[in-house]
Amino acid sequence: MLGEYPIEGRRAAEIAASVERAVGTGALGPGQLLPPLRQLAEQLGVNPNTVAAAYRVLRERGVIETAGRRGSRVRPRPASTPREWIRVEAAGARDLATGNPDPALLPPLGEALAVAAARAAKHPTLYGAPEVAPELAERARAALDADGVPGGPVAVTSGSLDAIERVLTAHLRPGDAVAVEDPGWGSLLDIIPALGLRAVPVGVDDDGPLPEEVERALRQGARALVVTDRAQNPTGAAIGAARARELRKVLAGHPRVLLIEDDHGHGIVDLPLHPLAGGTDHWVLVRSTAKAYGPDLRLAVLTGDDVTLDRVRGRQRLGPGWVSHLLQETVLWLWRRDAVDPKAVAASYGERREALVRALRERGIAAHGRSGMNVWVPVADETGAVARLLQAGWAVAPGARFRVASPQGVRLTVSPLTPGDIGPVADAVAAATGPAPAGRYD
């Protein structure tokens, strides 16, 4: 059952560490069946409860999964392995896979960083200073107010995923279930099992999460729901006014559910925000600077209910303390100067995205991309489609990076495309995939 690898230990922590070491080194591979509790307990000379505790720790860490009488197995992909590793090498091909913004649309940071450095030279940030620059909090809150986001304090984290992780750990415990969009953001799908949580997939269409599937997930016991308001990755979905009303109605029936809204498209989309916050006891809305100002400017602002924000900021003080004020001052300078024109950026991505969707549909290919910088194409065989597109000179992202239970697909990022690229890309996709049914991502 275990080949040549012996599980060792007398205490639960030692047994769990032995298994985790074996998974990390490859001695226990994905799908490997572990011994039944009583069998391993007899081999190690320990109480079965000790083995049960070890297996529970491994499940909470996302190392193994248990399926009743079918036993416990090593997860097909360890929780510490990011989905970004599921990729194709783009050597010699145009890269439409990595999901980066167009560098031409990012503002130059030189002057902003220089101003922040000069300010730090005169007024260095020392221990005891406020975690959030007062002007940054004021400007962020004003923008949130303008978009109809309920009132609440403001915190700053090192990007959206850092914020989401902190919020999840502020309320949830290992073993809790989290409702997530499917297909959805691969990094979020990674962090959930890494925290010992369980992902419950919720289907989406061009208007965002399907209300009936959200209701199903919450009735099944999901304690949190994570939604993307606009520019959903990978599908480009955006929550409109009608869908927002439906989702708010669902959430009103589950007031204890933690709601997390990711508005990472702020600054690159021109569709209005329709926030869902306000119908549950605990909620947050997160906005990152990554897409509008560049992924290396690691800063996100979030607001939410008082209890959640107090927990997030309190835990942050015990760890990193704060996000660098050099970065905060850099973002402030960019905001003051209106360094990014959201309408112009949205129009640039929109022209490329809509042209590609239109060209694909003209060739009989179902494609989705209502907002943002990505286009999602349902396919019958994503491995074959990715390989054939690579042979044709185009590297695209396999849908496995974004799926839990939804059907196969591929994601194309339009950032590198020029008007002259649209036809050749559409021809290559049509040749690589063949016609697929339109409608939902199934």
Side-chain angles (χ1 to χ4, degrees), residues 40 58 76 85 96 101 104 123 164 168 187 199 258 289 297 316 322 357 370 392 394 429:
L40 182 57
L58 291 166
W85 284 17
L96 308 183
H123 306 285
I164 292 171
L168 288 172
S187 294
L258 170 64
T289 61
L297 198 57
Q316 191 177 36
W322 66 88
V357 170
R370 187 178 169 201
W394 302 98
V429 172

Side-chain angles (χ1 to χ4, degrees), residues 102-179:
D102 183 350
L105 298 178
L106 301 177
L109 300 181
E111 187 175 356
L113 289 166
V115 170
R119 178 241 173 235
K122 292 183 178 180
H123 306 285
T125 299
L126 302 174
Y127 296 118
E131 292 95 346
V132 182
E135 185 184 348
L136 185 138
E138 181 181 343
R139 285 177 175 265
R141 186 63 256 179
L144 292 162
D145 291 342
D147 283 333
V149 180
V154 171
V156 174
T157 61
S158 297
S160 291
L161 196 63
D162 181 38
I164 292 171
E165 178 180 357
R166 291 180 182 280
V167 172
L168 288 172
T169 56
H171 284 285
L172 274 57
R173 296 295 177 266
D176 287 342
V178 181

Side-chain angles (χ1 to χ4, degrees), residues 153 155-157 159-173 176 178 188 191-192 195 197 223-227 256-262 280-287 300-316:
V156 174
T157 61
S160 291
L161 196 63
D162 181 38
I164 292 171
E165 178 180 357
R166 291 180 182 280
V167 172
L168 288 172
T169 56
H171 284 285
L172 274 57
R173 296 295 177 266
D176 287 342
V178 181
L188 175 65
I191 202 66
I192 286 175
L195 296 174
L197 305 173
R223 293 196 56 207
L225 168 68
V226 185
V227 300
R256 295 186 178 180
V257 167
L258 170 64
L259 170 65
I260 301 176
E261 295 185 75
D262 180 10
T280 59
D281 295 339
H282 301 298
W283 63 275
V284 296
L285 187 141
V286 185
R287 282 180 168 172
V301 297
L302 66 152
T303 189
D305 67 275
D306 290 335
V307 170
T308 299
L309 267 288
D310 184 63
R311 290 180 181 180
V312 167
R313 291 184 300 187
R315 181 63 184 85
Q316 191 177 36

Side-chain angles (χ1 to χ4, degrees), residues 105-106 267-269 291-292 340-352 372-373:
L105 298 178
L106 301 177
I268 67 164
V269 296
K291 297 300 186 295
V340 170
D341 181 351
K343 290 184 178 180
V345 173
S348 181
Y349 286 130
E351 289 170 3
R352 286 175 272 187
M373 59 181 66

